[in-house]
Amino acid sequence: MDQFTYAERATDWRANNNIAESIFHQMAQEPHPVPAWIVCGPGTGGTSATLGRFVRYRRHDTRILCADPEHSVYFDFYRSALAGAPDVGLTLGRGSGIEGIGRPQVEASFVAGCVDAMLKVPDTLSLAAMRLVSLQLGRRVGGSTGTNMVAVLQLAQRMRQAGQSGSIVTILCDSGERYAHSYYNPAWYAAQGLDVTQADAALAAAFAGQNLPALAMAERGAAG
């Protein structure tokens, strides 16, 4: 099966053997078992489609946010879809800097109607969050986990400011061991021309409870 074209239909989102069902099963004993938000990164689009369809099918109040990396067309495509004129022809001249998520063109399996909001995340913030999560967990995670975590922090910040309580779920993606020569190598950052000093400081402050700088967000039903 062509995973880019058919990823959104490869999983039976109504059954009990998909990622959405697993999330709700694992959350069952938590103080807030039905998440306010589930955060994922858009790759083929299969995960966000499964999550969005599942929560609607089960009539949960959970909303789905996709965290889009810097070099990807999905965020702009989603905004065009919200405006009623989805631009499926969007392209970029380069691929994503965060392996596994983001695309230079809109994949057929990305279903905008299954997504409630999207956040555009700079690569430097993704990689700073990746390293901080790795320190917290005691094992290396990949860059897409960092992208997701930036979105989690933004949502938590927004919920706190609104006086809301609840749970936010995200997904730990691939292991970081395969990135020892890149994301975890200071020489790689220098070669890529990436200065992560400010991003590291911003993420450290966010982990300590301070606010992250506001990032571009598109949301279904938002004013304007």
Side-chain angles (χ1 to χ4, degrees), residues 1 19 86-87 102 111 152 169 179 203 207:
M1 177 180 284
I19 189 170
D87 188 355
V111 183
V152 167
V169 171
Y179 305 112
L203 262 296
F207 269 58

Side-chain angles (χ1 to χ4, degrees), residues 187-194:
W188 180 85
Y189 288 87
Q192 300 296 316
L194 288 174

Side-chain angles (χ1 to χ4, degrees), residues 13 27-28 40 42 53 55 73 75 77 120-121 140 177 190 214 223:
W13 42 270
M27 291 292 294
C40 65
R53 287 167 173 164
V55 298
V73 300
F75 181 82
F77 169 71
K120 194 69 171 176
V121 181
R140 287 178 172 178
E177 297 306 323

Side-chain angles (χ1 to χ4, degrees), residues 95-129:
S96 172
I98 304 299
E99 187 168 331
I101 60 172
R103 290 290 185 271
Q105 69 281 323
V106 181
E107 302 295 348
S109 282
F110 181 76
V111 183
C114 290
V115 177
D116 297 292
M118 289 198 72
L119 191 75
K120 194 69 171 176
V121 181
D123 288 352
T124 52
L125 285 180
S126 292
L127 297 171

Side-chain angles (χ1 to χ4, degrees), residues 104-179:
Q105 69 281 323
V106 181
E107 302 295 348
S109 282
F110 181 76
V111 183
C114 290
V115 177
D116 297 292
M118 289 198 72
L119 191 75
K120 194 69 171 176
V121 181
D123 288 352
T124 52
L125 285 180
S126 292
L127 297 171
M130 173 201 75
R131 294 193 303 277
L132 278 174
V133 170
S134 296
L135 287 174
Q136 293 288 325
L137 296 180
R139 65 181 180 90
R140 287 178 172 178
V141 299
S144 54
T145 295
T147 307
N148 289 348
M149 183 54 64
V150 172
V152 167
L153 290 169
Q154 286 269 286
L155 289 173
Q157 175 179 310
R158 189 169 86 160
M159 290 175 67
R160 182 177 64 219
Q161 291 171 344
Q164 298 172 342
S165 60
S167 56
I168 303 170
V169 171
T170 191
I171 299 167
L172 293 183
C173 307
D174 57 342
S175 167
E177 297 306 323
R178 60 186 296 188
Y179 305 112

Side-chain angles (χ1 to χ4, degrees), residues 68 70-83 85-95 102-108 110 112 118 120:
D68 199 32
E70 183 173 341
H71 301 288
S72 172
V73 300
Y74 283 134
F75 181 82
D76 289 334
F77 169 71
Y78 183 71
R79 285 201 301 190
S80 72
L82 291 184
D87 188 355
V88 296
L90 284 170
T91 59
L92 283 178
R94 57 157 292 173
R103 290 290 185 271
Q105 69 281 323
V106 181
E107 302 295 348
F110 181 76
M118 289 198 72
K120 194 69 171 176

Side-chain angles (χ1 to χ4, degrees), residues 41-82:
T44 62
T47 298
S48 57
T50 296
L51 292 170
R53 287 167 173 164
F54 182 88
V55 298
R56 288 157 175 77
Y57 178 66
R58 295 293 181 91
R59 298 187 177 182
H60 292 308
D61 290 332
T62 304
R63 305 183 73 198
I64 308 302
L65 182 142
C66 278
D68 199 32
E70 183 173 341
H71 301 288
S72 172
V73 300
Y74 283 134
F75 181 82
D76 289 334
F77 169 71
Y78 183 71
R79 285 201 301 190
S80 72
L82 291 184

